[in-house]
Amino acid sequence: MKKSYLRVAVMAAFAGVMMTSCGGSKGMAGGNYGKPAGGGSPFGDVFEAPCTMMDTDDYFAATGIASGSKNRMDVLQTAALTNAQNLVRQKLQHAYKGAIDDYSKYIGNNAGSDAVAKVERGGTQIIDALINNTRAACGPKFSAVDERGDVTCFVGIQISTKQITEKMVDHVSHDEEMKIRFDEDEFRKRMDANFEKFKEKK
């Protein structure tokens, strides 16, 4: 009888060890944010964050993330939105500068460096205005509260590439120096090409 009890105890302990060693990953603090994004990662299971948004043919997109006290969730929402806006702003500024550089080469010496710099500055102001007016397309969503009393906020945004292009075409076409030999189709083509360079692909 004693041997039987001992055997049961050993088997129970072994089962407990196996369950512990083979159990799933807990992911980030506060619980899993989503389903595993795929196996084979050197970091173990990788989970997709809420409001994960990728660029598409029609939109530039980003997911902003901010962490802090559960008592300041209002502040975290703003911080996460600002983070997302800054990510999109960086991509757009690079894409626009590339398009202006390409277009200035296309029209040759008819537009000097001062004109190009002026159009770049104006484009930056347009981008800032468009980005600052964006609102959350997803979220805000919050993680569970961790052991420190903190949460993580996620906000996703999108901005239309068509809207950006229309604003830029209007801006360049009205500049006295850059509009010389202005070729709208060529400018749009170069905008589209530079958008593709800076879009994140799944």
Side-chain angles (χ1 to χ4, degrees):
M1 186 66 70
K2 288 183 179 180
K3 287 183 178 180
S4 177
Y5 282 131
L6 181 60
R7 181 178 298 172
V8 170
V10 170
M11 291 178 66
F14 178 76
V17 171
M18 289 300 291
M19 287 177 68
T20 300
S21 61
C22 297
S25 171
K26 290 183 179 179
M28 301 181 191
N32 292 341
Y33 288 137
K35 295 179 180 179
S41 168
F43 305 105
D45 286 340
V46 178
F47 295 91
E48 189 173 281
C51 292
T52 295
M53 305 186 77
M54 302 296 289
D55 299 328
T56 68
D57 291 341
D58 300 317
Y59 292 93
F60 272 106
T63 300
I65 303 172
S67 297
S69 170
K70 65 179 181 181
N71 299 318
R72 299 309 308 271
M73 293 171 74
D74 55 336
V75 175
L76 294 180
Q77 292 182 46
T78 302
L81 176 61
T82 301
N83 178 228
Q85 289 172 333
N86 286 336
L87 292 173
V88 173
R89 181 180 284 107
Q90 289 173 18
K91 288 186 281 188
L92 285 179
Q93 286 176 342
H94 286 303
Y96 179 65
K97 185 179 187 308
I100 291 298
D101 287 345
D102 288 349
Y103 184 71
S104 64
K105 292 173 185 175
Y106 168 74
I107 62 176
N109 293 326
N110 289 308
S113 58
D114 289 343
V116 172
K118 183 174 71 173
V119 172
E120 277 186 21
R121 287 195 300 272
T124 297
Q125 291 173 355
I126 291 172
I127 289 171
D128 285 341
L130 289 172
I131 293 293
N132 292 337
N133 285 327
T134 56
R135 295 294 179 265
C138 175
K141 294 186 177 181
F142 293 89
S143 70
V145 181
D146 67 16
E147 65 276 3
R148 294 173 299 181
D150 290 345
V151 295
T152 300
C153 179
F154 302 86
V155 172
I157 66 168
Q158 289 180 321
I159 185 166
S160 167
T161 54
K162 182 178 179 180
Q163 182 184 20
I164 298 161
T165 301
E166 293 304 321
K167 292 281 188 183
M168 297 311 183
V169 166
D170 184 65
H171 173 60
V172 176
S173 67
H174 283 83
D175 183 89
E176 288 298 321
E177 295 172 272
M178 287 291 283
K179 75 178 182 181
I180 299 172
R181 290 176 52 205
F182 180 66
D183 185 334
E184 183 175 325
D185 289 339
E186 188 65 28
F187 184 75
R188 288 178 184 275
K189 185 190 303 180
R190 291 171 190 274
M191 284 289 290
D192 290 342
N194 277 278
F195 281 164
E196 287 302 312
K197 289 180 186 178
F198 293 96
K199 282 182 177 175
E200 298 174 80
K201 306 297 182 183
K202 280 190 176 181

